[in-house]
Amino acid sequence: MAGTDHRRRGTVGGPAIILVEPQLGENIGGAVRAMYNCGLTDLRLVAPRDGWPNAKAVAMASGADVVLRAARLFDRVEDAIADLRHVYATTARDRFMVKRVLTPRLAAAEMRHFTGSGEACGILFGRERTGLVNDHVALADTVLTVPLNPAFSSLNLAQAVLLVGYEWFTAGDEGPAEYLVTGHSAPATKEELLRFFGHFEEELDRSGFLRNAEKRPGMIRNLRNLFQRAAPTAQELRTLHGILTAFVGPRRRPSTRAGTKKRASS
Amino acid sequence: MAGTDHRRRGTVGGPAIILVEPQLGENIGGAVRAMYNCGLTDLRLVAPRDGWPNAKAVAMASGADVVLRAARLFDRVEDAIADLRHVYATTARDRFMVKRVLTPRLAAAEMRHFTGSGEACGILFGRERTGLVNDHVALADTVLTVPLNPAFSSLNLAQAVLLVGYEWFTAGDEGPAEYLVTGHSAPATKEELLRFFGHFEEELDRSGFLRNAEKRPGMIRNLRNLFQRAAPTAQELRTLHGILTAFVGPRRRPSTRAGTKKRASS
């Protein structure tokens, strides 16, 4: 046993979403869709007003049925959170309790850490109009409050689940925050780009556009920067070569490749 | 004119939300509520299917009427974006276009920078089921794609506006990501906390709980850490003093204050 930390035994799934006394089936269904949007699947329902199962919830959750089918029903919040180690309560308004308050973003990072250490988490959402009662907030370790326009911060149940779930999802999303979609073509190699610059500048010289020798170097730099900025693909460069040819006719020398290379690297 | 950068003349408001050919009034109203949740007020509608104004949009937008009343109507996307300098197109699926793709979070930081420099921004949202057509995506500088469960990434219009707007709002929100709500009481001073430790440890000694001299220092450290972690308020410490008194009776020496201070600082 020595040296074994049982809390590190394995990861658990994402946080449980615990809907406390939800009223409308449509809202349960909307929350289920939002959960599945964010990769969350552990739904717990505490005393839904209209009983369970609920046909309206099923209709609204279309496409996210897998979450709905696995939902668990509880009579009391205390039972719904019994197996969890960290519980968060979502509230929009100040409850005048002494309690740690986190943004969903910070809570998401914290929950990723907890669940990665095998410590199960759950998030309480109250009924639609009134939210959680204070006795249920007092069962939580931490309050979650979504930063929104203070003059208009009311969200419906599905939207509240979506924002909290979205932060959970993005906290674990390893995709790049920016990338260039290039479809079926690849970004051009620099050799391909320089070959186009050679062709383009050769035709600009021939047309007389670059005849001002003093301004020529700066103009060439500016044009190169313009096309660099557009980050053309190999296919797009072929299109641009074709446009040049359409404007001024085919290049005169057949051995353009070597010639262009030399000029571009000078 | 020299030295004047007209782009820096002043800040503009948040990005325009441009709904392209929206179909249901309820969805327009839901998007308006989501905008106002996030402090956005520049709504532009391009050819809404059921005409404008729309009674269902008004009913759904209740509470966010200020945004709805200021909405502007356009026939074409080109007209709706004419005064903007940076346009983002929201899409869920790959369009096989060569185009920069950003997460809403990175785009929000970028838009904060642009609007802070007086460069107006706008975000295009397509019609409910089909999204933007490719010709409208091609009018944008950048594609916005919300990172969500790849197996289930469809959002309704109001939810898409909410997530993008939420990132805009939080990118400018200077509130702390974590804080302790203390209601009407203030966090205790360290003097108040140390006075409680003194009272508590005095009663533990008297009861015999700390009679093991070897373990005593560690036990005291652990108990102090427990109460430190709870970050008690002044009011809560008064309650704890009262609980001690309820358990074991009043403290014997009247001049507890000086005595406690001395022990706590040793």
Side-chain angles (χ1 to χ4, degrees):
Chain A
M1 300 291 276
T4 301
D5 183 346
H6 286 282
R7 292 176 313 163
R8 303 215 169 268
R9 274 229 170 133
T11 53
V12 296
I17 299 298
I18 305 154
L19 306 184
V20 181
E21 300 171 6
Q23 300 177 286
L24 294 172
E26 294 89 330
N27 292 335
I28 299 173
V32 164
R33 289 181 62 89
M35 283 179 67
Y36 201 40
N37 279 146
C38 304
L40 297 174
T41 55
D42 184 352
L43 173 63
R44 306 180 183 195
L45 298 165
V46 179
R49 187 190 63 183
D50 298 338
W52 196 256
N54 181 315
K56 285 180 178 165
V58 173
M60 182 72 185
S62 138
D65 319 59
V66 57
V67 176
L68 206 63
R69 276 197 304 271
R72 281 178 283 172
L73 190 64
F74 297 89
D75 289 330
R76 304 184 317 143
V77 175
E78 288 84 343
D79 300 326
I81 65 173
D83 62 316
L84 304 176
R85 291 183 194 274
H86 304 280
V87 173
Y88 300 78
T90 53
T91 75
R93 58 199 164 78
D94 191 349
R95 302 309 183 97
F96 303 105
M97 286 190 219
V98 182
K99 182 84 85 180
R100 193 173 76 124
V101 180
L102 293 191
T103 61
R105 188 161 305 167
L106 198 58
E110 188 176 90
M111 286 189 286
R112 288 270 171 191
H113 170 74
F114 288 146
T115 61
S117 304
E119 300 179 7
C121 299
I123 309 167
L124 300 171
F125 292 84
R127 65 167 68 171
E128 288 89 335
R129 291 204 172 274
T130 52
L132 291 166
V133 300
N134 284 347
D135 283 342
H136 292 155
V137 175
L139 292 172
D141 303 287
T142 301
V143 162
L144 278 194
T145 297
V146 181
L148 288 171
N149 180 359
F152 192 71
S153 62
S154 80
L155 293 173
N156 69 37
L157 185 59
Q159 287 174 320
V161 171
L162 180 68
L163 286 180
V164 173
Y166 165 76
E167 289 287 6
W168 161 262
F169 187 84
T170 56
D173 184 40
E174 288 167 2
E178 171 173 353
Y179 61 99
L180 185 73
V181 171
T182 52
H184 299 306
S185 186
T189 65
K190 293 308 171 196
E191 183 186 4
E192 290 165 333
L193 186 66
L194 292 168
R195 195 183 307 147
F196 167 69
F197 287 162
H199 185 183
F200 185 40
E201 291 155 16
E202 185 182 312
E203 297 301 351
L204 288 174
D205 274 328
R206 186 168 294 138
S207 72
F209 187 85
L210 295 175
R211 63 180 168 273
N212 185 326
E214 199 182 329
K215 290 189 175 170
R216 187 179 182 281
M219 291 175 79
I220 284 179
R221 271 197 303 277
N222 290 345
L223 288 167
R224 286 186 171 200
N225 278 331
L226 173 68
F227 283 98
Q228 282 271 13
R229 219 157 58 224
T233 64
Q235 175 55 53
E236 288 170 335
L237 288 180
R238 287 192 289 275
T239 302
L240 290 172
H241 280 290
I243 288 171
L244 279 179
T245 302
F247 285 165
V248 299
R251 299 180 83 172
R252 296 188 191 163
R253 287 165 302 169
S255 64
T256 49
R257 206 160 179 162
T260 305
K261 260 183 164 170
K262 199 184 290 166
R263 188 180 304 110
S265 62
S266 68
Chain B
M1 301 288 277
T4 302
D5 183 347
H6 286 282
R7 293 174 311 162
R8 303 216 169 267
R9 274 229 170 133
T11 54
V12 294
I17 299 297
I18 305 155
L19 306 184
V20 181
E21 299 171 6
Q23 300 177 285
L24 294 171
E26 293 89 329
N27 292 335
I28 299 173
V32 164
R33 288 181 63 89
M35 284 179 65
Y36 201 40
N37 280 145
C38 304
L40 297 174
T41 55
D42 183 353
L43 172 64
R44 306 179 183 197
L45 298 165
V46 179
R49 187 190 65 183
D50 298 339
W52 196 254
N54 180 313
K56 284 179 179 165
V58 173
M60 183 71 186
S62 137
D65 320 59
V66 57
V67 177
L68 207 64
R69 277 197 303 272
R72 283 178 282 172
L73 190 63
F74 297 89
D75 289 331
R76 304 182 320 142
V77 175
E78 289 84 343
D79 301 326
I81 64 172
D83 61 317
L84 305 176
R85 292 182 193 276
H86 304 281
V87 173
Y88 300 78
T90 52
T91 76
R93 56 198 165 81
D94 191 350
R95 303 306 183 98
F96 303 105
M97 287 189 216
V98 182
K99 181 85 84 182
R100 193 172 77 124
V101 180
L102 293 191
T103 61
R105 189 161 304 166
L106 198 57
E110 189 177 89
M111 287 189 285
R112 287 270 171 191
H113 170 74
F114 288 146
T115 59
S117 305
E119 300 179 5
C121 300
I123 309 167
L124 300 171
F125 291 84
R127 66 167 69 171
E128 287 90 334
R129 292 205 172 275
T130 52
L132 292 166
V133 299
N134 284 346
D135 284 342
H136 292 155
V137 175
L139 292 172
D141 302 286
T142 301
V143 162
L144 278 194
T145 296
V146 182
L148 288 171
N149 180 0
F152 192 70
S153 62
S154 80
L155 292 173
N156 69 37
L157 185 59
Q159 287 174 319
V161 171
L162 179 68
L163 286 181
V164 172
Y166 165 76
E167 288 288 5
W168 161 263
F169 186 85
T170 56
D173 184 41
E174 289 166 3
E178 171 173 353
Y179 61 98
L180 184 74
V181 171
T182 52
H184 299 306
S185 185
T189 65
K190 294 308 171 194
E191 183 187 4
E192 290 165 332
L193 186 67
L194 291 168
R195 195 182 308 147
F196 167 69
F197 287 162
H199 186 183
F200 185 41
E201 290 155 17
E202 185 182 313
E203 298 301 351
L204 289 174
D205 275 328
R206 185 168 296 138
S207 73
F209 187 84
L210 294 175
R211 64 181 167 272
N212 183 327
E214 198 183 329
K215 289 189 176 169
R216 188 178 181 282
M219 290 176 79
I220 284 180
R221 272 197 303 275
N222 290 344
L223 287 167
R224 287 186 171 199
N225 278 330
L226 172 69
F227 282 99
Q228 282 271 14
R229 219 156 59 224
T233 65
Q235 175 56 53
E236 288 169 333
L237 289 180
R238 286 192 288 276
T239 303
L240 291 172
H241 279 292
I243 289 172
L244 279 180
T245 303
F247 284 164
V248 299
R251 299 179 84 172
R252 294 186 194 168
R253 287 165 302 168
S255 64
T256 49
R257 206 159 178 165
T260 305
K261 260 183 162 169
K262 199 183 288 169
R263 189 182 303 111
S265 62
S266 69

